[in-house]
Amino acid sequence: MNNGFVRVASASPTIKVADVDFNTNEIIKLIDDAVNKNVSILVLPELCITGYTCADLFFQEPLIRKSIEKLILLKKYSTGKEILFVVGIPIKYKNALYNCAATISNGKILGVVPKTYIPNYNEFYEQRWFSSSETITNDKIIIDGEDVPFGSSILFKHTRYEDLCIGIDICEDLWSPLPPSTVHAINGATIILNPSASNDLVGKSSYRKALVSSQSAKTITSYVYSSAGFGESTTDVVFSGHCLIYENGTKLKENKRFQLESNLIYSDIDIEKLMADRIKMTSYSNHLTSRFDLQYQIVPFDLNIMQDKIDRYIDPQPFVPNNQKKRSKRCEEIFSIQTLGLAKRIKHIGCEKVVVGISGGLDSTLALLVCTMTYDLLGKDRKNIIGVTMPGFGTTDRTYNNAISLMNHLGVTIKEISIKQSCLVHFKDIGHDPTNHSTTYENVQARERTQILMDLSNKLNGIVIGTGDLSEMALGWATYNGDHMSMYSVNTTIPKTLVRYLVKWISDYKVGENAKAVLMDILDTPVSPELLPPDKNTGKIKQKTEEVVGPYELHDFFLYNMLRFGFSPTKVYRLALQAFDGKYSCDTIKKWINTFYKRFFMQQFKRSCIPDGPKVGSICLSPRGDLRMPSDAVSKIWLEEIEQL
């Protein structure tokens, strides 16, 4: 069903107090606007048919009767329209009046939810007019000759897509210690609609957003909030018409407050994304449901969810904050995690020295920087960091010089050990022709380098620090028991797209100008294992990783969306098309997504025995942590789906 995307909207109509004809016409205009925008679910403010500020006019029978007539008009108007909407209305029930939210779709009033928490403090006097719904959990009322579910424990569930389930808070309900939406969510609601009439004071909008953000995060829901706006009485207070759409703590849309005209915002929420988090979190397991089972009325509804371009920002670099200030803070936090993790390991072992292979590439540069920061944190001499450069058949002057310069600027101990002669001896021992630049040719070099590092660490009573990153392990772009192995791997959960920003952050804030110049050239160097000879004419790197396995920014995007949320290849592909629109063609994305899934499944055996290393983000491939995956799992259903794209 549209890959789990559902378009929701929040609208605030201009109203006139107690003028139900005018108010209903404005509501109808907003419904039409929403339908034209392919909105499936719309919420309007609290008591929007009458106006929230009618005060003692709520005691007048004509106002209550006329508002019901307009509710029936809205019900009939909805016939044949692919939309569900919620409007606020006062409703008389037995011996009391209730502040209610009526849910309407396709010619039917699906249910009416009365407000639970009735404010009666400061500028609010609602208890003068309205009763609480606390004792009404499951009942029915008659509207236009039809039985309508009535009560505080009602959920509206799509008949063909059970994860599309709607619960309702009304204004003050959100501000209470235990909002009804908390229990709604535990019982299956994925979307919370809040028709509200929250007046504005200095600073109140920030607090309101914090509440909506927090509640959507705690309940793992999309929270759609609509507040009363222009036209409400300003005798004592002013209403700004604040509209918000949040998803699991993240703001998707917010309107401009204090507008004179009716306005509407909309966004596509991702229910599959919400459900992925719920499935993983034990907070949503069945034993909680039994504790908060209020005998819900489940009201079915049906809508055709419109297929459309996804109306939300799809981040092409989900591991990297696009805001520079947030990115800088993220980098600082990651370095703190890396350095503290390594510091604990060093202190636990009691070793003085660490050994790290330095190639002049991004990953080994990051690992070396982590080592230097850790030794500074521990108050140890950087000379106990042994940086080893091991020139081979593919080493270029550029990377070699950068490796030496960087180690000099950082003040670590430098060792240079060429692997050429030992590799030639090994080729001879195993009967391999050195002119045959096969996988064997490459892996011999990688394992020779690892052997040197391991043996050197034994000799010096130190440990080998791994340099491989998350993206390489996802693709299996490492030599088994070669660069794949170390005694502690500081980059193991950092994706390639983020490695670059971490190194840049260090160059900006933590090193001198000379070291900064070296780091900037390293950042500008193509990613390569340098296991094949350089270009004969230019002497530059010939073996470029991204030309072989594909762009890392695509693979990081695939990895995040596949592993973090369990999305299907079809959905990941659709998201990638939008995120990288204008940068990569459909065929290019399809080619590399196929490569990603093939390699991800084939290379699990390498991830089953990766070294210890600190988890820094939401994605981790450690078999001891987040990923428990059999090495012999079959990728057939994923690859078949990609073939159908």
Side-chain angles (χ1 to χ4, degrees):
M1 185 172 141
N2 203 21
N3 295 129
F5 289 107
V6 178
R7 184 160 296 175
V8 300
S10 171
S12 184
T14 296
I15 67 128
K16 294 181 179 179
V17 179
D19 189 343
V20 294
D21 291 328
F22 177 86
N23 298 343
T24 303
N25 286 335
E26 288 300 305
I27 290 168
I28 286 173
K29 290 177 185 176
L30 287 169
I31 292 169
D32 289 343
D33 188 23
V35 169
N36 290 335
K37 290 179 168 66
N38 288 332
V39 168
S40 296
I41 298 164
L42 167 68
V43 60
L44 295 120
E46 181 179 14
L47 297 170
C48 58
I49 290 178
T50 58
Y52 176 77
T53 49
C54 287
D56 282 1
L57 293 178
F58 285 123
F59 292 138
Q60 297 291 312
E61 189 274 340
L63 182 66
I64 305 303
R65 172 170 42 84
K66 273 289 187 181
S67 63
I68 291 293
E69 289 177 8
K70 294 305 176 184
L71 181 66
I72 294 169
L73 186 152
L74 289 171
K75 178 192 76 167
K76 293 176 179 177
Y77 187 76
S78 71
T79 302
K81 294 179 172 61
E82 295 291 349
I83 191 170
L84 176 150
F85 59 89
V86 171
V87 293
I89 183 172
I91 288 183
K92 186 167 60 176
Y93 173 75
K94 293 184 178 178
N95 302 312
L97 192 65
Y98 292 88
N99 178 345
C100 297
T103 303
I104 300 171
S105 182
N106 196 18
K108 186 175 181 181
I109 301 173
L110 299 175
V112 174
V113 177
K115 190 173 182 176
T116 299
Y117 295 96
I118 311 298
N120 217 61
Y121 57 89
N122 296 339
E123 63 265 42
F124 299 106
Y125 293 92
E126 276 193 46
Q127 289 182 18
R128 180 179 176 91
W129 312 295
F130 299 112
S131 296
S132 169
S133 70
E134 278 188 308
T135 59
I136 309 168
T137 57
N138 195 336
D139 211 335
K140 290 186 184 297
I141 56 173
I142 297 175
I143 301 177
D144 198 26
E146 297 176 342
D147 283 345
V148 175
F150 181 78
S152 58
S153 299
I154 299 176
L155 295 177
F156 305 94
K157 183 175 286 192
H158 197 284
T159 54
R160 289 172 288 135
Y161 185 37
E162 63 178 13
D163 291 335
L164 173 46
C165 184
I166 300 167
I168 294 176
D169 276 346
I170 302 177
C171 198
E172 185 74 10
D173 290 349
L174 171 64
W175 301 65
S176 68
L178 181 62
S181 55
T182 298
V183 186
H184 297 339
I186 290 170
N187 283 273
T190 50
I191 300 174
I192 303 298
L193 306 179
N194 188 326
S196 179
S198 178
N199 64 304
D200 265 75
L201 307 169
V202 173
K204 190 174 181 180
S205 65
S206 296
Y207 187 64
R208 186 185 299 126
K209 287 192 286 185
L211 280 176
V212 174
S213 175
S214 173
Q215 187 64 2
S216 72
K218 288 193 299 181
T219 56
I220 314 181
T221 57
S222 173
Y223 205 103
V224 190
Y225 179 95
S226 167
S227 188
F230 185 75
E232 291 286 1
S233 173
T234 58
T235 301
D236 289 301
V237 293
V238 170
F239 297 84
S240 68
H242 204 182
C243 294
L244 300 164
I245 301 174
Y246 275 75
E247 180 184 276
N248 199 5
T250 299
K251 184 175 72 177
L252 300 183
K253 283 288 176 69
E254 177 184 9
N255 73 334
K256 180 182 178 182
R257 295 180 296 142
F258 303 109
Q259 296 187 58
L260 298 180
E261 304 297 328
S262 299
N263 62 97
L264 176 147
I265 60 170
Y266 63 94
S267 182
D268 290 338
I269 61 168
D270 191 345
I271 292 180
E272 282 186 4
K273 189 174 181 180
L274 295 171
M275 290 306 299
D277 276 346
R278 287 189 177 188
I279 289 169
K280 289 180 181 179
M281 290 184 65
T282 55
S283 307
Y284 276 85
S285 58
N286 292 332
H287 71 276
L288 267 181
T289 304
S290 65
R291 286 172 56 194
F292 292 98
D293 184 2
L294 300 182
Q295 301 300 315
Y296 272 82
Q297 295 186 71
I298 306 298
V299 179
F301 70 94
D302 195 28
L303 287 174
N304 290 319
I305 306 300
M306 297 298 155
Q307 299 289 328
D308 204 349
K309 182 179 179 181
I310 304 166
D311 190 85
R312 60 187 283 158
Y313 176 66
I314 309 298
D315 193 346
Q317 292 194 331
F319 291 106
V320 183
N322 53 26
N323 177 279
Q324 186 175 353
K325 187 175 180 181
K326 289 182 179 179
R327 188 164 62 239
S328 181
K329 187 175 180 180
R330 177 79 57 85
C331 289
E332 183 177 14
E333 190 171 21
I334 289 171
F335 264 108
S336 297
I337 293 171
Q338 288 178 289
T339 54
L340 200 66
L342 180 56
K344 164 62 179 176
R345 183 53 55 99
I346 290 171
K347 285 183 73 69
H348 175 73
I349 295 172
C351 65
E352 287 297 320
K353 292 181 170 60
V354 294
V355 179
V356 56
I358 307 301
S359 67
L362 274 173
D363 290 340
S364 66
T365 295
L366 176 58
L368 181 60
L369 292 168
V370 170
C371 290
T372 58
M373 300 301 163
T374 302
Y375 269 64
D376 292 349
L377 179 67
L378 292 170
K380 292 179 177 292
D381 188 349
R382 288 188 181 185
K383 287 296 181 182
N384 286 319
I385 301 170
I386 315 303
V388 187
T389 181
M390 296 167 281
F393 304 116
T395 303
T396 60
D397 291 342
R398 180 182 187 180
T399 53
Y400 170 79
N401 290 330
N402 280 340
I404 297 296
S405 295
L406 180 64
M407 289 188 283
N408 272 320
H409 290 309
L410 294 177
V412 305
T413 297
I414 302 172
K415 280 191 175 294
E416 180 177 332
I417 304 172
S418 174
I419 64 168
K420 292 180 181 178
Q421 191 58 42
S422 55
C423 286
L424 289 172
V425 171
H426 191 58
F427 289 149
K428 183 178 179 182
D429 289 342
I430 65 173
H432 181 78
D433 182 358
T435 62
N436 179 4
H437 296 165
S438 63
T439 302
T440 302
Y441 178 86
E442 296 185 44
N443 286 350
V444 162
Q445 297 174 72
R447 291 194 180 102
E448 179 61 29
R449 284 175 171 146
T450 302
Q451 177 174 277
I452 289 170
L453 296 175
M454 291 289 183
D455 293 344
L456 193 58
S457 71
N458 291 157
K459 179 183 177 183
L460 299 172
N461 195 28
I463 58 172
V464 176
I465 304 303
T467 62
D469 63 45
L470 180 74
S471 308
E472 291 178 343
M473 289 314 302
L475 295 168
W477 191 252
T479 299
Y480 191 83
N481 208 33
D483 53 320
H484 157 261
M485 194 49 61
S486 65
M487 295 166 182
Y488 195 73
S489 184
V490 293
N491 297 341
T492 189
T493 60
I494 301 176
K496 189 75 78 176
T497 47
L498 188 54
V499 169
R500 188 173 297 278
Y501 285 99
L502 285 164
V503 173
K504 177 68 165 59
W505 183 81
I506 282 285
S507 74
D508 288 342
Y509 298 104
K510 296 292 184 179
V511 298
E513 286 300 315
N514 291 333
K516 182 175 182 178
V518 178
L519 290 175
M520 295 307 292
D521 193 59
I522 290 172
L523 284 166
D524 196 42
T525 304
V527 177
S528 172
E530 291 195 309
L531 297 173
L532 296 178
D535 186 277
K536 291 181 180 179
N537 297 320
T538 64
K540 294 182 179 180
I541 294 172
K542 186 176 182 180
Q543 183 188 22
K544 298 177 181 178
T545 300
E546 292 180 290
E547 292 180 358
V548 180
V549 296
Y552 273 117
E553 63 178 347
L554 280 179
H555 289 308
D556 284 355
F557 183 88
F558 302 150
L559 174 66
Y560 181 84
N561 285 285
M562 180 271 280
L563 205 57
R564 174 71 176 82
F565 303 112
F567 290 160
S568 68
T570 301
K571 183 167 183 175
V572 176
Y573 174 73
R574 181 182 180 190
L575 293 171
L577 287 179
Q578 188 160 323
F580 296 99
D581 184 32
K583 186 168 187 179
Y584 297 108
S585 69
C586 302
D587 289 342
T588 299
I589 293 173
K590 183 177 178 180
K591 172 186 175 181
W592 295 124
I593 197 172
N594 187 65
T595 297
F596 172 80
Y597 276 93
K598 277 184 178 179
R599 293 192 66 95
F600 187 83
F601 276 83
M602 288 172 58
Q603 302 295 318
Q604 171 59 20
F605 74 99
K606 294 179 182 176
R607 298 189 291 268
S608 292
C609 57
I610 59 176
D612 293 354
K615 178 179 177 179
V616 303
S618 58
I619 302 295
C620 176
L621 300 177
S622 169
R624 300 169 299 278
D626 293 38
L627 185 64
R628 288 160 175 81
M629 175 179 168
S631 297
D632 45 11
V634 178
S635 58
K636 180 181 178 183
I637 60 174
W638 288 267
L639 296 179
E640 284 180 346
E641 187 171 321
I642 292 170
E643 287 179 10
Q644 300 304 315
L645 293 175

